[in-house]
Every structure is written in structure tokens, then in C-alpha cells.
Amino acid sequence: MLRFEVQDGMIVLPKSVNPERIRSNLDIFDFRLTDDEMNSVRALDTNKPTYNPDNPGNGKWLLKNYPIED
């Protein structure tokens, strides 16, 4: 995905503290995806968000998983 995003002109800010993951994130500049590969990745887009803030129960889930501390 990083190669796709960079090649498509997006600004990519990967985050990792794992040295192996950081190295693999940088190992995307010695190849290019073909037009067919780029189009195959684009075809995966369903135009639907992966997160809907209006879904019922989101507030309870957020408070349970990310409690507010005093």
C-alpha cells in the first residue's frame, strides 16, 4: 500500500517504532507498480468509509476501550 500511495502522489506518513517495519516501509523505492497493478488496487475501493461515527454503540465502545482518566 505504501508503494501504491507514493506512486499515486499521496503524502504518506507511516508510523512505526519497530526497526524491521521501518526498514520495510523504506524499501518501496526500488520498484514501480504496473498500470494494471495500480488499477487493481484502485478497484478495491468501495467508496464506503471503514468507520461511521453515527453507528449506534460507538460512544459506549470508545469509553470502554479508551476510558477517560481523571
Side-chain angles (χ1 to χ4, degrees):
M1 282 312 301
L2 290 176
R3 178 64 235 181
F4 170 81
E5 292 172 336
V6 167
Q7 191 169 319
D8 206 40
M10 296 180 209
I11 297 172
V12 181
L13 302 171
K15 177 193 171 292
S16 182
V17 295
N18 179 310
E20 184 176 325
R21 177 66 66 161
I22 293 168
R23 277 191 293 279
S24 71
N25 286 346
L26 290 172
D27 194 21
I28 63 168
F29 297 103
D30 61 348
F31 69 97
R32 287 187 62 81
L33 299 175
T34 66
D35 289 342
D36 286 342
E37 290 169 326
M38 293 291 287
N39 289 330
S40 292
V41 175
R42 284 187 189 101
L44 298 172
D45 186 2
T46 62
N47 290 317
K48 295 180 184 174
T50 57
Y51 174 75
N52 181 350
D54 296 325
N55 280 343
N58 277 350
K60 287 181 184 179
W61 183 88
L62 286 169
L63 287 172
K64 176 183 172 195
N65 291 288
Y66 301 97
I68 298 171
E69 298 181 20
D70 291 330

